[in-house]
Amino acid sequence: FEQWVPGAVHPANPRTLRCLQKFLKSAPRTSSTDKVVRHSRVEVLQRLGQAEFRSKIRAAYGDVCAISGASEPEALVAAHILPVSKRGRHGTRNGLLLRADLHNLFDSYRIAVDKNLRVCVSVSVSDAQYRRFHGKKLSIPSSKLLQPDRKLLAQHFGHFADLNN
């Protein structure tokens, strides 16, 4: 045990040490279910253009999820149809505004959009909360300049079909 003295740290004196040991012996023991919370500093790399992409997608879709209709801003993310890692661009034609959970399913090819702009949900998704979107028409911006590129959606759908057959 140590005492704090302005400007220095010193070992606890014998009396303080005995007092602390007595207190610790009478203190309730932690159980195996007690959780230790630890924090660490994390550096996050954000792709250049990501913030602008998100802003443009949110504006194009009026802050409404293209699949669920959810409008809680904190739950919505700008999803790339063709990932940037695969040479996708940050343009609105390569994006959809999706609820974060639907974005995860879209990125893992468990949800896709067919040529008729209908949502397809993989048979591997058993949760009824997601299954209910199967066959639903995708909501897209009215301006052709802001609508998702059909070729990119078809490419995404091709991967979806390959993984789900």
Side-chain angles (χ1 to χ4, degrees), residues 31-49:
S31 72
S32 61
T33 59
D34 290 340
K35 294 183 180 176
V36 176
V37 177
R38 295 190 174 122
H39 299 277
S40 65
R41 191 170 302 273
V42 177
E43 184 175 325
V44 177
L45 298 176
Q46 187 175 28
R47 293 185 300 263
L48 293 176

Side-chain angles (χ1 to χ4, degrees), residues 39-70:
H39 299 277
S40 65
R41 191 170 302 273
V42 177
E43 184 175 325
V44 177
L45 298 176
Q46 187 175 28
R47 293 185 300 263
L48 293 176
Q50 183 67 28
E52 185 180 358
F53 172 71
R54 185 179 199 289
S55 178
K56 285 180 178 180
I57 293 294
R58 287 183 63 193
Y61 285 82
D63 279 331
V64 175
C65 174
I67 294 176
S68 70

Side-chain angles (χ1 to χ4, degrees), residues 84-151:
V84 172
S85 62
K86 294 184 178 165
R87 305 182 76 133
R89 304 281 182 217
H90 284 309
T92 53
R93 306 229 347 119
N94 185 35
L96 298 170
L97 189 64
L98 299 176
R99 210 171 61 195
D101 57 337
L102 295 171
H103 178 227
N104 290 336
L105 291 172
F106 185 83
D107 277 357
S108 63
Y109 301 103
R110 297 181 74 200
I111 285 183
V113 178
D114 69 15
K115 65 182 179 181
N116 298 314
L117 297 179
R118 299 266 176 209
V119 176
C120 297
V121 180
S122 169
V123 294
S124 68
V125 176
S126 60
D127 190 319
Q129 292 300 315
Y130 298 111
R131 299 264 353 124
R132 68 187 169 105
F133 296 122
H134 187 78
K136 184 175 189 240
K137 182 90 169 168
L138 188 73
S139 297
I140 59 173
S142 56
S143 168
K144 291 251 187 219
L145 297 173
L146 302 176
Q147 291 178 0
D149 185 317
R150 302 279 181 121
K151 290 178 184 174

